[in-house]
Amino acid sequence: MRKNNPNSLVVAIDGPAGAGKSTIAKMVAAKLGLKYIDTGAMYRALTLKALTTGIDCDDAAGLMELLAQSKFEFPVANNVGSPAILLDGRDVSALIRLPEVSQKVSRVALVPEVRRELVRIQREQAAGGGIVMDGRDIGTVVLPEADVKIFLTASLEERARRRYIELQRKGLPATLEQIKKEIAERDKLDQERKDSPLQAASDAICIDTTGFSPEEIVTQIIHLCAERGER
Ligand code: CDP
């Protein structure tokens, strides 16, 4: 952060699937008037494109070709409901949350070439500061100099329950058991991969969101940001 300029604050939020990252990061960004980047949406958008064009999720060369032809845009989130990402000019917010994408995305995220290119775009977006970015490797790899680093967790049961309610609201069929299994598999792939695995940065503040409302967590993070801004 540039001295005494809260508008240039850089906030990194990481954590496993369903910990509440996107909801909370978006609310924090809106409250502080900062830009919001959902990096998971980038991995998901590329996965969606691979699925619709018939590119295998392990095919590094094919994925890189797709990436070279893809345009990501991040509309300024004026309200919590605005789309997190446009892929080739199209709002794909709903499509990237489909279970088919969730099942494949961590395979795409294993490919080092893909990670390198997406991290480059993420850093470009963060240049100049004034940003809240969420993902798996933001505090450790993408923005290690972030002013505030948060690692959000919640029990597997709670995370699966949240995702279940979310899918039910959207009218998408799924059972709680299926979701629990999918989330546990994705966490394992994310934690065990060699390239930028999911882990808390040594200087991250860990917050367990189990049993707390998003508003309560947002208030806690805003406090941390204010403290950092005063230093
Ligand atoms: O919303 P949810 O927590 O389920 O996941 P997401 O943030 O949309 O991320 C989807 C997947 O993308 C993760 O499970 C990771 O495999 C991958 N990802 C990543 O590897 N690095 C990031 N910075 C963000 C997401």
Side-chain angles (χ1 to χ4, degrees):
M1 177 174 56
R2 281 180 208 121
K3 204 147 179 57
N4 297 328
N5 183 3
N7 295 335
S8 64
L9 194 74
V10 174
V11 184
I13 302 185
D14 290 300
K21 294 180 304 295
S22 357
T23 308
I24 287 162
K26 217 175 202 184
M27 287 166 75
V28 169
K31 281 214 179 217
L32 297 178
L34 304 175
K35 185 162 143 183
Y36 165 58
I37 302 278
D38 174 353
T39 63
M42 298 169 75
Y43 289 93
R44 283 176 179 273
L46 180 62
T47 307
L48 173 71
K49 203 161 173 175
L51 289 173
T52 48
T53 53
I55 299 289
D56 198 279
C57 288
D58 303 313
D59 173 4
L63 290 171
M64 288 309 286
E65 214 176 301
L66 268 192
L67 251 187
Q69 303 155 6
S70 302
K71 188 172 166 215
F72 298 111
E73 288 167 273
F74 306 92
V76 177
N78 292 323
N79 61 59
V80 175
S82 45
I85 194 166
L86 301 182
L87 173 67
D88 304 328
R90 210 170 133 222
D91 177 8
V92 289
S93 316
L95 291 175
I96 61 172
R97 300 273 147 210
L98 289 173
E100 302 88 284
V101 176
S102 300
Q103 276 154 22
K104 288 279 160 68
V105 61
S106 292
R107 301 268 299 284
V108 170
L110 280 179
V111 179
E113 293 89 335
V114 166
R115 301 203 69 83
R116 219 172 299 135
E117 177 55 11
L118 291 186
V119 168
R120 188 193 63 74
I121 300 172
Q122 290 155 13
R123 288 189 180 139
E124 202 173 81
Q125 289 292 325
I131 193 161
V132 180
M133 192 176 276
D134 81 354
R136 301 290 187 287
D137 56 347
I138 311 306
T140 50
V141 174
V142 183
L143 305 173
E145 306 296 326
D147 301 299
V148 179
K149 295 184 188 178
I150 307 289
F151 194 82
L152 291 181
T153 59
S155 67
L156 177 62
E157 279 66 27
E158 169 103 2
R159 293 187 286 121
R161 200 181 51 82
R162 287 177 188 164
R163 212 27 73 87
Y164 177 66
I165 294 171
E166 197 180 310
L167 290 176
Q168 277 209 319
R169 269 202 206 115
K170 291 179 185 163
L172 293 167
T175 68
L176 189 57
E177 269 321 297
Q178 260 171 357
I179 295 173
K180 210 161 137 182
K181 191 163 163 270
E182 182 259 307
I183 285 186
E185 279 168 6
R186 200 141 59 86
D187 283 352
K188 188 167 152 55
L189 276 180
D190 289 343
Q191 282 158 353
E192 292 181 354
R193 70 173 173 234
K194 279 206 193 79
D195 189 350
S196 31
L198 164 67
Q199 62 184 27
S202 57
D203 51 349
I205 294 152
C206 292
I207 303 178
D208 187 338
T209 67
T210 312
F212 290 96
S213 69
E215 288 75 14
E216 287 170 305
I217 306 296
V218 168
T219 305
Q220 212 175 324
I221 297 176
I222 301 275
H223 268 294
L224 291 167
C225 291
E227 268 173 31
R228 198 46 62 101
E230 281 159 14
R231 249 181 241 166

